[in-house]
Amino acid sequence: MHAFQTSGNCIRNISSDQWAGAAADEVADPRPWAELLRQWSTLHPEFSYLPRKFKICLIASDEDRAAMRLHDIGIQLVERDGKLGAAFYVGGGMGRTPMIAPLIKDFVPIEDYLSYSEACLRVYNRYGRRDNIYKARIKILVHEIGAEEYARQVEEEFAHVKTLGIDPPLAELERISAMFAPPAFEASASDELDRSDPDFAVWVDQNVKPHKQAGYSIVNIALKPIGGIPGDATSAQIDVMADLAERYSFDELRVTHAQNIVLPHVAKRDLYAVWSALNDADLANANLDLISDIIACPGLDYCSLANARSIPIAQKIATRFADAERQRDVGELKLKISGCINACGHHHAGHIGILGVDKKGVENYQLTLGGSGAEDVSVGKILGPGFDEDGIVDAVEKAVEKYRNIREPGERFLDTYRRVGAEPFKEAVYG
Amino acid sequence: MADPIVSFAEFEGSNATAVRIEPGDDARALIPHLDRLTLVEVTFPKFRDGRGYSSARILREAGYEGTMRAAGDVLVDQVPFMTRCGFDDFAPDVPLNEADVKAALGRYADVYQPAADARVPVWKLRHG
Ligand code: SF4
């Protein structure tokens, strides 16, 4: 761990997929490429005084679990004709002006990808706005000159930058890759699973995800007990998780942006033991990606910038939907809460988003619907006038019940919203 | 007595050998005239405005070999970055402490990326 570039108008730490190196659907392990970016951007002489902070995300799957297109630069590793390359999306972001990064280049050969990044940054460093802090992110530049023009300028800069020898040889990537070598998987690990314990089976279906190695799984620990504080764990629970990581996941444990924990490499034959230990520690919440798996920022309870509390709203909503059967019937529903316009709780990207605002000294909550931080990325839209603390919980419930009444088979909340639009939900909530 | 420094706007059409460029000036416009330039002064009205780093690198990348001066709100923390971007002369508004500058320049033995100076990135040292 290090604290380089965790502040300032520089390139911040690179983010990636919480299942990197384990996900069954990745074209390559994104971590070595992310590390290469980290090295290139660390103490970068030209890009340490950018117009504004700069965040890059790199993923390697079609399924986006990292809100890639809501970053200043989102990169997806892709394969074309058997060759690895990078698709570049530039100019996304949340905050007070949420924007989805447009595709700037669909395939940058991987041996050019640092040069291409350098070109992207140079255009931004030269032409990004510096007159107004709220208009200084790259999303504003790309929006103002247009994605096509930005891409053209990057292309021109790239033609020059590529001659400077910025891209290291493949040998360097191989050296880095060795640090991310897969753990010593057992080649003959069994794929069989005894699902006879129904509670265990429910947890497996909800929280355990496919691993690229046969006989292994990705375990997601949802730190979202009904009525608890999203993302909180006691010291005793942290000890349990650390022990489980050591014993069953090759000593590896990851913290996710969704305020959950991942044990990336668990043998299927160990799943029951892991679940039992989690269950004993009240950590076997089988609600990953369900409505009670809420992302909530610290809000007014802890944050000096807040307009409203986030945590108690999350607690009340989760409690309202405590019935596990009902939650599962509702299915995937990403609910995200921010206590102010800075959007640390990613409310723009919530299927249901809640934004706390200050209305003449009183906490008020705006409801947005239809956002997504995944591959079907979109920015949620405000449904109508805001609510007080109890009103927002009722409004969420009404919207969810509306969805249950009008959904077509197989539709998630988000799909139904996209099909029917805001009107039926408006009627249900305000009618 | 050195030649007078002209502004970017005055430079076009003159035969000046020294020019001052502000953050918003396009350094690339100087590229056709690099042969006669002996001094480029890049201004930093505020240390936070980092456009001058790109200006300097662009000129060095185009083969400019004269003096590259950073002038204005130039602080010790910026000197290592500026040096890597090709600056070799400094005119700070507030004088810098020599010992601090030396310490800042010597802080890291290796660099991760090639730039406009002679330092060799650590990957090149490893792999040649
Ligand atoms: S969204 Fe606002 S209230 Fe919440 S953590 Fe960020 S700054 Fe604080």
Side-chain angles (χ1 to χ4, degrees), chain A residues 297-300 303 305-307 310 338-345:
Chain A
C297 83
L300 201 56
C303 176
L305 303 171
N307 286 324
S310 306
S338 305
C340 83
I341 193 72
N342 286 335
C344 305

Side-chain angles (χ1 to χ4, degrees), chain B residues 86-102:
Chain B
F87 289 101
D88 51 5
D89 189 43
F90 300 90
D93 289 341
V94 178
L96 302 174
N97 177 308
E98 289 285 330
D100 291 347
V101 169
K102 213 170 155 224

Side-chain angles (χ1 to χ4, degrees), chain A residues 38-40 42-46 48-49 118 122 125-126 130 157 160 164-166 168-169 171-172 175, chain B residues 26-28 47-51 53-54 57-58 61 78 81 84-85 108 112-115 123 126-127:
Chain A
R38 184 200 68 77
Q39 295 191 2
W40 159 78
T42 297
L43 297 178
H44 196 291
E46 187 177 340
S48 289
Y49 295 93
E118 182 119 347
R122 179 174 280 180
N125 190 46
R126 300 189 75 206
R130 292 173 187 266
E157 195 66 54
H160 161 68
L164 302 175
I166 285 166
E172 178 61 6
R175 189 189 70 84
Chain B
D26 179 9
R28 287 213 159 98
F47 79 83
R48 265 190 234 91
D49 189 334
R51 285 177 284 183
Y53 296 89
S54 291
R57 263 191 86 179
I58 283 167
E61 286 163 8
Q78 280 87 63
F81 294 132
R84 297 220 58 216
C85 285
Y108 298 104
Y112 274 133
Q113 61 293 91
W123 53 258
R126 282 190 194 112
H127 306 291

Side-chain angles (χ1 to χ4, degrees), chain A residues 117-158:
Chain A
S117 303
E118 182 119 347
C120 287
L121 265 297
R122 179 174 280 180
V123 170
Y124 171 55
N125 190 46
R126 300 189 75 206
Y127 300 112
R129 286 182 61 174
R130 292 173 187 266
D131 58 324
N132 179 340
I133 187 174
Y134 299 121
K135 297 192 188 298
R137 295 292 283 261
I138 194 172
K139 61 189 172 189
I140 304 291
L141 173 69
V142 173
H143 183 73
E144 285 181 352
I145 68 174
E148 234 172 87
E149 172 60 14
Y150 174 77
R152 189 193 65 73
Q153 293 185 18
V154 169
E155 205 56 47
E156 209 174 281
E157 195 66 54
F158 170 73

Side-chain angles (χ1 to χ4, degrees), chain A residues 283-301:
Chain A
L283 287 167
N285 309 296
N287 59 351
L288 191 81
D289 293 338
L290 298 181
I291 190 168
S292 59
D293 181 11
I294 297 170
I295 297 182
C297 83
L300 201 56
D301 293 293

